[in-house]
Each structure stands twice: as C-alpha cells, then as structure tokens.
Amino acid sequence: MAITFSGGIHVDGCKGTKTKAIENMPAPEFVALPLQQHIGAPVKATVAVGDRVTMGQVIGRNDNALSCPVHASVSGTVEKIETRNSYMGAGKTEYVIIKNDGEYELCESITPLEKKVTDLTCDEVIDLVREAGISGMGGATFPAYAKIQSAVGKAKELIINCAECEPFITANHRLLLERPMDVINGAKILMIALGLSKATFAIEDNKKNAAKVLEESLLDDKMFSVKLLKTKYPQGDERQIVYALNHVQIPTGKLPADVGCVIFNAETCDAIYHAVVDRMPLIARTVTIDGDCIAESKNLRIPLGTSYRDVIEYCGGIKGKLSKLINGGPMMGNTQWDLDGTVTKGTSALLFFSDKYEKKAAPCCIHCGKCVSVCPMHLEPVYLALFAKSGELDKCLDYNLMSCMECGSCSFICPGNVPIVQYIRKAKDKIKAKPKQQ
C-alpha cells in the first residue's frame, strides 16, 4: 500500500512524456552560462573574452563561500562576459557566452578515477562532488557537497527522492527506466562516503514500472528498499517524504539530517556517480519539454547554457500563441519572460503554455478554508496572504511565514483565484531585505 503525508492536493499529472525516451540534444552554436546556478554565493569568471576553453573546463568559481563552480558545456571561444537577468528570479548575474567550435574537446583534467570507489574517504568524495559543480537537480539547487558535509555523523539513512510530483515533469522517471544503475551507483557512493548501511528509493505509485526496474536492478541488495508513495502533491518535498517514510516531523528550522536522514534527488545521484567515477563535471542535464504550445514534447539531455530559443527550434517550434513559459514545474517553477534565457543546473522542465492555462477571474478570498486543509506545513495560508498583502510583516512572522515551502498547493486549490504564494514570496523578500537589529 502506498504511503503518504497529511495535507497536499491531487492534481492532473499531465505526464504525457512518460513514454518518451531521453534524446541527446546537439549543442547549439552559442551557450550562455550564468555564474549563479545554485543557492549560495555566485562564482567569479576565471576566463576572459577571447580565451579558448575545452568542454568541462572550469570557467567560474568561488572557493571562499557556499558555491558551485561552473564549467564550459562545449569547447570553443569566450565571446562575451555580460550581465543579464537571473533565471532564479529577481536580480542579475554575469553570463559567460561561448562560441561552440564543434570539436567537443574534453578538458585534459577529466580522467577516470584511478582508485577503487570503496577506497575513497568522505573528504575525497566531497572534493570530487564540489569540483564537479553539482547542485541539487530536483529544483532546490543546494550545493551537493555541502549537503554531504552537513550529514556527516548525523544521517543514518539515505533517501533517494524519485517522487517527481510536479505535473508534466517525467525526466527522472525516464532516467530510472533507462539508466537505473547510474542512479543506484551514485547512491552507493553516497553511502560509502557517509558510512551508511540503509537507503530507500521513494517513488510515487504512478511510476510502478520504474519501481520494478529499480527492484530488478538492485538484485535483492539488503541495503536498499523501494517504497511506493501515494501520488499526491507535494509528495516530493523532503519534509513530506521523511514523514511518509518514517512518521517523523522535521522541526522548523531544522534539516533532514537532524532527524537522521539525508535526501538526494535521483538525477543528482546520477551526476554524483559520473563526477566520482568519470570525474565528469555537471555540464548537461535531462529536461522535460512540454505544454500545449510546443510542437513536439520531449525528454532531452541538454547542454547547460542552451537558450530556450534553441530548445524551441529543436522541438519543432511554437504552435499557437505562447502565453507563458515556465522554467521548472507549473507549481513551483519560475515564469520566464525572455526566450534568450538558458538551461541551467536547476532546469528540470521547460513548459510552454497558451492562455487556456491562465486563471481569468479576479482574485477574491471567500473564506472557505481550503488552503488551510491542503497546506503540507500545517500553516494558515489565508492569514499569511491577508497579512502579506497588507504589509503587516510582524503578523506574517507570528503566523510562521518563513516556514512556508512555497509549494503552491494553496494557490492551486483556491476557488477565489487568490495568488497566495505570490503574496508570501513578496513578504519574504521584504523581511529578508530589512536590516537586522543589532
């Protein structure tokens, strides 16, 4: 029987690409790589205009802060270094634009690991993961090396997040069907580094074929189990997964490691495997392309820095009138306003929608309480929205505004079309911008 958490919503999965195998999209003529693709400090360019770079070469790093280096996804020449809007939301960041020379010459430092994986120390794994520039690929983009560090001596169980609960996205589903051993071996590397003997693959029950493939690939390995989770949003949130599996609530302000768990996304495990065994940095990722305005929906492995325009062209162009482009899932993704935006480490999907997906009615709270009943964090979104809209930030904090995970369940269920999450995000930004009292 599938297990789950309290709260959340049932949405139409719209998983139309679940049968579409992952294709390798050819690299475009130019790639534009932002120097901030992760939570933490941006990196600084280590190349200059006119430099020739090789594929996998570090082009930006910051060793003095929580950060992930950025690598060239093609070989070629640095054409520009310029400031553009950040895909991660408000603000700007520097981009390194590289003209692809079509040679795909691999950086000379990328050579296979010369020792047994089982002989690696935890610090060696952390260094390899950091040098590979891996950040969480489920959307959170937290540097993976730092998550490993935070779990040392605290985590007793590894959880591989295979839920993929956002509508439309099937990239992880296809990865599990097509390359299960890469994910499993990445998980084993994490277990070796952290000294763990227990790992759980947590997967929603709308992906039973992937669960079966995992079970067959594990060959009755007693260290691993595959657990089916009820298909419900936001089942993929780490707090909901921990509760569903272990019936443990993660206290406010604490991490999964504080209750004995460490959680990595399936594609992050895949990237860690290749970073350690092949010493291959993160220079491409799997992205679901879907929506009613794209001619051909696909699952693509795309070189980082590829523009949305190039993706559109590869998928047969736009059909109809494009109203909204979302980087990520429709619940928690970011709306994009520029087709020159690019695929980054955090891009799990690109969704192209017409206006039929827009809510038309003017927002009006009818005090039904549905937002409260579905909140997986057990907050009161109706009041958070009210206080956030009126600028009453102290009251927002009294109602635990900062505990909101911004999953969007409340906005989705609201019959009055109130953009609750947008109000909450704006209030959070104002609180974070306030000078801290001494």
Side-chain angles (χ1 to χ4, degrees):
M1 182 177 178
I3 53 182
T4 191
F5 61 98
S6 175
I9 56 176
H10 298 273
V11 298
D12 186 345
C14 301
K15 305 285 190 177
T17 55
K18 66 182 180 181
T19 60
K20 299 197 173 184
I22 299 169
E23 300 178 29
N24 290 315
M25 178 178 168
E29 183 181 3
F30 291 92
V31 293
L33 293 152
L35 295 183
Q36 184 163 25
Q37 301 185 37
H38 53 270
I39 288 176
V43 302
K44 299 177 181 178
T46 56
V47 292
V49 173
D51 287 355
R52 185 175 187 275
V53 297
T54 51
M55 190 166 68
Q57 177 182 330
V58 173
I59 60 170
R61 69 184 310 131
N62 182 347
D63 292 330
N64 299 316
L66 178 68
S67 191
C68 289
V70 175
H71 303 76
S73 55
V74 297
S75 60
T77 304
V78 178
E79 290 277 309
K80 297 178 185 177
I81 300 177
E82 62 184 20
T83 300
R84 295 185 184 180
N85 290 328
S86 170
Y87 92 97
M88 296 181 72
K92 295 181 179 294
T93 189
E94 282 195 325
Y95 281 67
V96 175
I97 291 89
I98 302 171
K99 182 175 173 56
N100 183 1
D101 62 11
E103 295 181 15
Y104 304 103
E105 179 185 348
L106 199 61
C107 181
E108 61 182 11
S109 65
I110 300 174
T111 56
L113 185 70
E114 295 180 350
K115 62 193 300 185
K116 291 182 179 180
V117 171
T118 50
D119 292 336
L120 290 171
T121 67
C122 181
D123 286 341
E124 286 175 323
V125 172
I126 288 170
D127 287 343
L128 287 166
V129 171
R130 179 167 189 166
E131 283 303 304
I134 299 171
S135 59
M137 299 173 75
T141 68
F142 188 77
Y145 79 89
K147 182 179 280 193
I148 300 172
Q149 285 177 328
S150 70
V152 174
K154 298 169 75 175
K156 303 293 188 292
E157 175 189 13
L158 169 66
I159 298 173
I160 303 94
N161 184 351
C162 310
E164 202 164 49
C165 62
E166 279 263 15
F168 290 94
I169 307 178
T170 62
N172 280 0
H173 189 175
R174 291 307 314 176
L175 176 65
L176 293 168
L177 290 173
E178 297 175 37
R179 301 205 312 272
M181 287 310 304
D182 289 2
V183 180
I184 291 168
N185 287 331
K188 287 181 177 178
I189 289 169
L190 289 168
M191 295 176 75
I192 291 168
L194 293 169
L196 303 180
S197 59
K198 179 183 178 183
T200 302
F201 285 90
I203 185 166
E204 285 194 326
D205 61 1
N206 62 353
K207 307 174 187 66
K208 289 180 179 177
N209 57 345
K212 182 179 179 181
V213 168
L214 282 172
E215 288 172 341
E216 291 172 347
S217 301
L218 289 167
L219 299 174
D220 295 322
D221 190 325
K222 300 304 181 184
M223 293 193 301
F224 289 91
S225 61
V226 180
K227 297 287 183 67
L228 287 177
L229 307 175
K230 188 174 182 179
T231 299
K232 184 169 67 169
Y233 181 84
Q235 185 69 80
D237 173 67
E238 59 185 20
R239 292 175 180 270
Q240 315 317 323
I241 284 182
V242 169
Y243 183 81
L245 293 177
N246 299 332
H247 298 287
V248 174
Q249 293 274 11
I250 301 174
T252 300
K254 299 295 185 179
L255 299 171
D258 294 310
V259 295
C261 302
V262 62
I263 305 173
F264 284 88
N265 166 268
E267 190 164 3
T268 309
C269 289
D270 171 77
I272 287 172
Y273 167 67
H274 290 288
V276 171
V277 174
D278 304 324
R279 295 178 65 195
M280 176 61 69
L282 182 54
I283 59 174
R285 68 155 298 153
T286 307
V287 182
T288 295
I289 313 299
D290 207 348
D292 66 326
C293 278
I294 196 74
E296 298 176 57
S297 59
K298 296 176 180 284
N299 282 304
L300 299 177
R301 185 159 177 81
I302 303 177
L304 302 184
T306 299
S307 75
Y308 304 150
R309 292 184 189 277
D310 288 317
V311 173
I312 290 168
E313 182 179 354
Y314 184 76
C315 293
I318 294 294
K319 60 179 184 180
K321 185 177 180 181
L322 179 64
S323 175
K324 181 177 288 187
L325 164 58
I326 298 175
N327 182 324
M331 303 297 289
M332 294 188 71
N334 293 311
T335 300
Q336 305 293 296
W337 304 104
D338 185 355
L339 294 182
D340 291 322
T342 62
V343 172
T344 63
K345 298 176 184 181
T347 305
S348 56
L350 291 174
L351 306 177
F352 301 85
F353 294 132
S354 68
D355 61 5
K356 83 174 189 178
Y357 285 88
E358 299 285 346
K359 290 185 176 181
K360 301 294 186 181
C364 177
C365 178
I366 62 172
H367 307 287
C368 64
K370 288 185 176 181
C371 60
V372 177
S373 68
V374 301
C375 177
M377 298 303 293
H378 311 299
L379 304 174
E380 297 175 280
V382 59
Y383 293 117
L384 290 176
L386 175 66
F387 297 138
K389 185 179 180 182
S390 61
E392 298 177 81
L393 301 182
D394 288 340
K395 287 187 176 179
C396 286
L397 292 174
D398 289 342
Y399 279 76
N400 295 318
L401 174 92
M402 304 309 287
S403 293
C404 172
M405 56 183 278
E406 302 175 25
C407 69
S409 296
C410 53
S411 295
F412 179 87
I413 204 71
C414 178
N417 297 329
V418 177
I420 300 172
V421 172
Q422 289 170 267
Y423 291 143
I424 289 172
R425 284 176 176 167
K426 288 180 180 179
K428 282 186 177 181
D429 289 341
K430 290 178 181 178
I431 290 169
K432 291 174 183 176
K434 289 176 67 175
K436 294 182 179 179
Q437 294 181 349
Q438 299 297 323

